[in-house]
Amino acid sequence: MNTEVNLAGITLKNPVMTGSGTFGSGMEYGEFVDLNCLGAVVTKGVANVPWPGNPTPRVAEVYGGMLNAIGLQNPGIDVFMERDIPFLKQYDTKIIVNVCGKSVEDYLEVVDKLGEEPAVAMLEINVSCPNVKEGAIAFGQKADALYNITSQIKKHAKQPIIMKLSPNVTDITEMARAAEAAGADALSLINTITGMKIDIHRRKFALANKTGGMSGPAIKPIAVRMVYQTAQAVKIPIIGMGGIADAEDAIEFLLAGATAVSVGAMNFVNPYATVEVIKGIEDYMSKYNVEKLTDLIGAVRE
Amino acid sequence: MKEKSMACVLSQAELAPGIFDLWLQTGMAANAKPGQFIGVYPKNASTLLPRPISICEVNEDKTALRIVYRVAGAGTAEFSGLKEGDRVAILGTLGNGFPLEAGKGKKCFLMGGGIGVPPILQLSKELAAEKSIFLGYRDGALFLKEDFEKYGNVFVATEDGSNGTKGNVMDAIAASGLEADVIYACGPMPMLRAIKRYAQEKGIQAYISLEEHMACGVGACLGCVVKTKEVDHHSHVHNARICTDGPVFEAKEVEI
């Protein structure tokens, strides 16, 4: 049985990775799972300088999922390169660094610094965080802005770039095509869906930021649909995510056209979720005599 | 080492209206420290996240944990229906716990307010010090008060004046005329702010246990942060993670 997948020239031992922002840089969940088992670890977003993030409350539970408005709190690229990358290098897994910024220059500064670190296999560019006021999603909701930032980053990047797309758009395939045309090597989708919760007893917003990004099993059908549509629209590989809780969910995304999948918010619910998904995919492949995992990718059409 | 595993319900009782007392058989009890907490998972898949609940007590042979919690929503309402022999998923043990060395051999105030009372019980068992225990309640439903009496002098404050000093734990301290070298406390934010001010005025150490809405409970999601005086070691901004860097902080280190 071969579970390898090729993501823009990078070979992953299996298609299972972690959703940015749900797994830190692997240290916390390294207590629960063997990071060597994962196809890749995708880190929490990192900017050129430390970001304090949003006020609390930053998280709220909703039916079948959660809202978050962390606001991309991060220690900045210098601390990240001194601490987090050496930690991840100890493991036999691919390192994918999620990059965020408030301006194109911010992104480029991080991309340039990461270019000097050969241990970083790929860069995932966050142009879809709904919880920060400048940058991030501002680049991800208009096709021309996305084209512009993608092409500028592509000129600087030493590693393949993955553009992480927002579902908070009218037509995600338009965004996907713009990113592909600008030279993106792969796409991640979906980021969280903007939502809101009101505490009716206190008559206040549940989150200090008022709105937050929704994740968890409740958003999975939306994510599967968007992955399917995007897979029809572009040739570059897609990393599918949105509410993946178990192997059955992950296989749905693969069949819809994703080359790899990320487990996100469900890490909070089940810290062993990533390795259980990997095992479950292998069991599925045995059960249906699937020789190569790549045979599953996009296998469901009409 | 943290883990998610199944615990077996040994017993459950309602101590006061909406306040439940649950004993869980779990291997986590072996290394549990006062002031730490566990995440308790509802079975209902619409309520996904573990509920952070502090450890109230560890049994003598360290095979079971006691949690005393208030029903505050769908998750805790579900827990209140657990019966002897039921199984429930828990995550733990989480957080740093109270520093026992800081108060060892000294005069200590151990203070709990409302649903902040339970975590003070295991602390009062383990702390080797001259202990004055201040417990604040809304009304005359003095849950756990008798459990504390074995471990120190207990002073009660009730908001409605039905028992002990009328008012809060700070009023009870004033009424007692006592002084302390070190304070340990858990309770609502106004109480913790008052303790922070009091400790500052008296020039003494105060260790306070904070709470915040949490998702992962293990330090990954950065959901539950508190503003800190100094740049914290993990985030390199002024935001420490309550679930892992806390929940217990020295009061002067946090901006609350």
Side-chain angles (χ1 to χ4, degrees), chain A:
Chain A
M1 184 191 307
N2 184 349
T3 58
E4 282 184 1
V5 293
N6 182 313
L7 204 56
I10 307 295
T11 301
L12 310 185
K13 66 177 82 169
N14 65 60
V16 179
M17 49 179 77
T18 59
S20 177
T22 66
F23 209 75
S25 290
M27 289 169 204
E28 292 78 14
Y29 285 109
E31 279 196 61
F32 297 90
V33 295
D34 180 0
L35 302 179
N36 294 305
C37 296
L38 305 180
V41 170
V42 183
T43 69
K44 170 82 178 162
V46 59
N48 58 333
V49 293
W51 286 12
N54 287 328
T56 56
R58 291 176 168 187
V59 292
E61 189 177 74
V62 294
Y63 198 96
M66 62 177 286
L67 296 173
N68 89 79
I70 308 297
L72 289 172
Q73 178 182 319
N74 76 86
I77 185 63
D78 294 338
V79 168
F80 182 86
M81 289 184 74
E82 281 163 27
R83 179 187 66 191
D84 298 45
I85 292 177
F87 170 80
L88 282 170
K89 268 185 182 175
Q90 304 171 80
Y91 297 92
D92 177 26
T93 186
K94 298 296 180 197
I95 304 172
I96 300 178
V97 179
N98 185 285
V99 179
C100 58
K102 292 183 170 131
S103 66
V104 173
E105 290 69 34
D106 289 358
Y107 284 94
L108 295 179
E109 191 181 336
V110 178
V111 166
D112 286 339
K113 285 187 174 169
L114 289 169
E116 290 160 24
E117 178 49 84
V120 174
M122 303 179 87
L123 310 180
E124 182 181 66
I125 311 300
N126 182 349
V127 285
S128 47
C129 175
N131 300 321
V132 292
K133 292 193 171 48
E134 309 162 76
I137 200 163
F139 298 108
Q141 282 180 321
K142 290 207 174 78
D144 55 349
L146 179 63
Y147 181 93
N148 180 40
I149 193 168
T150 305
S151 54
Q152 293 206 55
I153 289 171
K154 186 62 192 166
K155 276 181 216 148
H156 282 249
K158 298 263 187 359
Q159 295 96 339
I161 63 167
I162 306 161
M163 300 307 287
K164 185 162 183 179
L165 301 184
S166 171
N168 303 303
V169 293
T170 308
D171 180 0
I172 198 162
T173 63
E174 186 193 345
M175 309 305 294
R177 282 194 204 94
E180 181 180 47
D185 299 287
L187 301 172
S188 278
L189 58 139
I190 59 176
N191 204 320
T192 55
I193 302 171
T194 311
M196 179 181 279
K197 179 179 181 175
I198 290 171
D199 179 336
I200 62 161
H201 302 291
R202 291 165 58 243
R203 299 196 184 181
K204 285 188 167 174
F205 298 103
L207 298 175
N209 192 53
K210 296 184 187 172
T211 60
M214 183 169 171
S215 56
I219 72 164
K220 193 191 75 179
I222 299 170
V224 172
R225 182 265 292 180
M226 287 190 168
V227 166
Y228 176 77
Q229 288 177 327
T230 304
Q232 311 306 303
V234 298
K235 294 197 171 61
I236 51 177
I238 295 166
I239 305 160
M241 65 199 71
I244 295 177
D246 55 28
E248 293 179 16
D249 295 337
I251 292 161
E252 250 190 276
F253 278 91
L254 296 171
L255 293 173
T259 298
V261 292
S262 290
V263 178
M266 287 305 285
N267 286 304
F268 307 155
V269 180
N270 175 12
Y272 310 107
T274 46
V275 291
E276 288 176 10
V277 168
I278 294 164
K279 173 73 170 53
I281 291 173
E282 289 168 2
D283 291 346
Y284 176 89
M285 289 172 70
S286 301
K287 183 177 175 187
Y288 292 101
N289 296 314
V290 180
E291 283 285 306
K292 306 195 304 289
L293 186 128
T294 49
D295 291 342
L296 296 174
I297 298 168
V300 172
R301 287 297 169 253
E302 289 318 311

Side-chain angles (χ1 to χ4, degrees), chain B residues 18-94:
Chain B
I19 307 285
F20 288 82
D21 178 359
L22 182 65
W23 274 99
L24 297 169
Q25 189 174 46
T26 167
M28 287 176 205
N31 299 307
K33 292 187 291 207
Q36 287 191 304
F37 63 101
I38 58 173
V40 185
Y41 289 87
K43 287 194 179 69
N44 186 330
S46 71
T47 44
L48 292 161
L49 297 172
R51 273 51 181 165
I53 301 179
S54 61
I55 293 165
C56 172
E57 206 178 344
V58 184
N59 70 343
E60 198 133 317
D61 58 0
K62 292 181 177 289
T63 55
L65 295 177
R66 182 187 194 185
I67 57 173
V68 172
Y69 60 96
R70 173 181 284 148
V71 171
T76 43
E78 185 193 303
F79 303 152
S80 71
L82 290 168
K83 302 262 186 311
E84 184 185 344
D86 286 348
R87 286 159 63 79
V88 60
I90 60 175
L91 178 72
T93 47
L94 307 176

